[in-house]
Amino acid sequence: MNIAIYGYGNLGRGVEAAAQKNPDMNIVGVFTRRDPSSIETRTGIPVYAADDILNYKDKIDVVVICGGSATDLPHMTPGLALNFNVIDSFDHHAMIPEHFTNVDKAARETGHIALISAGWDPGLFSISRVYAHAVLPEGETYTFWGRGVSQGHSDAIRRIPGVLDARQYTVPVESAVNAVRNGLNPVLTTREKHTRECYVAAAPDADLTAIENTIKSMPDYFADYDTTVNFISLEELRKNHAGLPHGGSVIRSGKTGLQDEHTETIEYTLTLDSNPEFTAGAILAFARGIYRMHGRGMTGCKTVFDVAPADLSILSSEELRHSML
Amino acid sequence: MNIAIYGYGNLGRGVEAAAQKNPDMNIVGVFTRRDPSSIETRTGIPVYAADDILNYKDKIDVVVICGGSATDLPHMTPGLALNFNVIDSFDHHAMIPEHFTNVDKAARETGHIALISAGWDPGLFSISRVYAHAVLPEGETYTFWGRGVSQGHSDAIRRIPGVLDARQYTVPVESAVNAVRNGLNPVLTTREKHTRECYVAAAPDADLTAIENTIKSMPDYFADYDTTVNFISLEELRKNHAGLPHGGSVIRSGKTGLQDEHTETIEYTLTLDSNPEFTAGAILAFARGIYRMHGRGMTGCKTVFDVAPADLSILSSEELRHSML
């Protein structure tokens, strides 16, 4: 299958790397809104102007859209779905129903297939929540994120005057995770589930106290959390906090038995050195899935919930039954 | 949907309990090869003779077949698939392809749908292996079982002369689990992955040394493992080892990045107080799945790999996108 990468940031580069691990996939090229001549890809795949993508319509099976959820994907995904099978990693939770409707309309009217919100959360974590809820109907599901870098929170710190660069780690509260893991089904506030660790390189003349207060009082991002702020040099930040690790756990604990006498716990945990490379691997598996589903005549917008596991695998159903069942 | 329970052992009773947690399911009755008047169900659902099941053909949407893999399911599942939609938990790995072929033929020819090998392993663990392999193509997958009671191994001990009753726990080797969890991808022999703990109540005049030697040297079951044998009283066995806990982990660790510079680890862990009740919950979710798929015209034999997560859930696709994506 022939894949186009639309957007060449961290995720686009992750898709480029992940495609190397999937022998049934070929990257047609990177499509960018920047000047194509300004970009050199890591593997030498060609770079084209985003506006020229229609010229490659016959050469592309699925466009992997690697834009941002805030401003790019809401118009990019429905727009590209008019001419291509597409997949994105839209993660603006409250907007998913509207995004789904827009993408579904574009894809359905033109006979394409689309899948939104692929990756690990939304994505693999979402799937884990659905399986766990279906097999253990009575119980509670918890999601913990981290320890890992939140790009959105890091960006929010970078926008504060006097900040040169910053990295924010989301850290699950271990005692809360253990209480959930042990089937206690605790009631947890936002503050009790995660803490936030910030590493900030500030300008020499910056007011560090003011920066720290601005971070800790930032609504939505930090105000509801126990937040620690560490000022470090730009060199140290670049040296020790260059990676994009992440991960987390979905844990569901519930009761079975006629008198609810038994406790069952399901846990799905990811530990990732590279969030974008792993996310890209998940996206490509679902790209394979929708490509196959489109081959069977399916159109419209799908989510990770609509793809049977067999369609994600490079192995045949016979091989899966033999080696993985 | 109307469910029939075919066989009323541990799993059948688990299905009876699990159905109470699924408000869209109704148990039509238990069908047994024993004398129906000898069985009292836990919730008062009626008991019928297995031979009479055809009389209830119009009242049953899916038959949950709760027989044993060794001698029951190979003929029961294809036999019942001639007249019903069916699901089983066939777990004799080497025989799955043959069983699949037989069930597929019966179901396809008569317009029914069937799903074999539902539960957690095979079942949820199998699905985890497929997802993990698809999103992380380069790596190794490990499955650890336990700590939990293996019925097959307990039965094997019970067949030794002089043994009154026995319980065998399969225990994963913690250092091996941790090595896998830490992404070391170790090469592990059978002995290095699990140990076996046996609790045995012997007859007063039994030769304990002979029983212990017989257990430890039993091929396939114990000879390849570090096995400990504890002789305890029948009272202690019944009091402290009455439950059927189980669980385990599927862990895949692999590399991403153009130079394989990053390690990603995926772990799926179950911790179960009641193996049969949890297994029953998984089976009923897949029973819902095939019932819906049959409603869309699908027939033949399926596995857990062929069912999209959305089809397992009592929630609608809209609800799933809203609350779980």
Side-chain angles (χ1 to χ4, degrees), chain A residues 21 93 122 126 129 131 138 256-257 260 262-265 267 269 271-273 277 305 310 312 322 324-325, chain B residues 21 93 122 126 129 131 138 256-257 260 262-265 267 269 271-273 277 305 310 312 322 324-325:
Chain A
K21 309 284 193 196
H93 184 85
S126 318
R129 289 188 279 264
Y131 277 112
E138 191 174 306
T256 65
D260 288 348
H262 295 126
T263 301
E264 327 289 355
T265 304
E267 175 169 348
T269 291
T271 310
L272 311 176
D273 273 357
E277 286 173 2
F305 303 145
L312 303 175
H322 179 74
M324 300 221 184
L325 194 57
Chain B
K21 309 286 193 196
H93 184 84
S126 319
R129 289 187 280 263
Y131 277 112
E138 191 174 306
T256 65
D260 288 348
H262 295 127
T263 301
E264 327 288 356
T265 305
E267 176 169 348
T269 292
T271 310
L272 311 176
D273 273 358
E277 286 173 3
F305 302 145
L312 302 176
H322 178 74
M324 301 221 183
L325 193 58

Side-chain angles (χ1 to χ4, degrees), chain A residues 259-322:
Chain A
Q259 278 83 42
D260 288 348
E261 62 270 38
H262 295 126
T263 301
E264 327 289 355
T265 304
I266 304 170
E267 175 169 348
Y268 182 77
T269 291
L270 298 175
T271 310
L272 311 176
D273 273 357
S274 169
N275 184 355
E277 286 173 2
F278 182 81
T279 299
I283 290 173
L284 286 184
F286 283 97
R288 178 186 290 126
I290 58 168
Y291 173 65
R292 289 188 184 159
M293 291 161 75
H294 191 250
R296 296 197 294 267
M298 298 181 78
T299 61
C301 190
K302 310 294 172 192
T303 72
V304 293
F305 303 145
D306 302 311
V307 184
D311 275 329
L312 303 175
S313 178
I314 195 170
L315 301 178
S316 71
S317 284
E318 290 74 17
E319 288 170 321
L320 289 178
R321 287 196 296 271
H322 179 74

Side-chain angles (χ1 to χ4, degrees), chain B residues 132-311:
Chain B
H133 179 262
V135 305
L136 202 55
E138 191 174 306
E140 290 292 331
T141 302
Y142 298 80
T143 303
F144 294 97
W145 296 275
R147 188 175 193 265
V149 172
S150 165
Q151 305 260 41
H153 289 77
S154 301
D155 287 342
I157 300 173
R158 285 189 200 104
R159 285 192 292 265
I160 298 172
V163 171
L164 300 176
D165 199 359
R167 201 59 73 132
Q168 194 270 184
Y169 295 88
T170 305
V171 184
V173 175
E174 205 170 331
S175 58
V177 178
N178 286 333
V180 169
R181 207 172 260 156
N182 292 329
L184 302 180
N185 283 1
V187 176
L188 297 169
T189 63
T190 296
R191 191 176 298 274
E192 288 167 332
K193 288 183 70 187
H194 297 92
T195 59
R196 299 198 176 275
E197 275 177 33
C198 311
Y199 294 85
V200 181
D205 59 344
D207 178 344
L208 303 189
T209 307
I211 290 174
E212 180 164 347
N213 288 339
T214 304
I215 294 172
K216 290 186 171 177
S217 60
M218 206 183 290
D220 300 331
Y221 284 88
F222 294 101
D224 296 335
Y225 298 85
D226 289 338
T227 301
T228 54
V229 178
N230 305 285
F231 289 99
I232 61 176
S233 71
L234 201 54
E235 295 68 41
E236 197 183 336
L237 189 76
R238 300 256 157 100
K239 181 168 164 249
N240 297 335
H241 302 279
L244 292 170
H246 219 314
S249 300
V250 173
I251 310 176
R252 182 172 180 85
S253 190
K255 298 294 183 183
T256 65
L258 290 177
Q259 278 83 43
D260 288 348
E261 62 270 39
H262 295 127
T263 301
E264 327 288 356
T265 305
I266 305 170
E267 176 169 348
Y268 182 78
T269 292
L270 297 174
T271 310
L272 311 176
D273 273 358
S274 170
N275 184 356
E277 286 173 3
F278 183 81
T279 300
I283 290 173
L284 286 184
F286 284 96
R288 179 186 288 124
I290 58 167
Y291 173 64
R292 290 188 184 159
M293 292 161 74
H294 190 250
R296 295 198 296 267
M298 297 181 78
T299 61
C301 190
K302 310 294 172 192
T303 72
V304 294
F305 302 145
D306 302 310
V307 184
D311 276 329

Side-chain angles (χ1 to χ4, degrees), chain B residues 82-151:
Chain B
L82 292 170
N83 289 290
F84 298 95
N85 298 321
V86 296
I87 186 165
D88 76 16
S89 58
F90 187 76
D91 66 357
H92 193 324
H93 184 84
M95 305 287 286
I96 285 176
E98 183 183 337
H99 189 54
F100 181 91
T101 301
N102 294 340
V103 175
D104 190 53
K105 184 168 185 293
R108 201 170 292 276
E109 282 177 359
T110 56
H112 295 101
I113 194 166
L115 191 143
I116 60 165
S117 305
W120 60 273
D121 198 3
L124 299 172
F125 271 19
S126 319
I127 292 168
S128 291
R129 289 187 280 263
V130 170
Y131 277 112
H133 179 262
V135 305
L136 202 55
E138 191 174 306
E140 290 292 331
T141 302
Y142 298 80
T143 303
F144 294 97
W145 296 275
R147 188 175 193 265
V149 172
S150 165
Q151 305 260 41

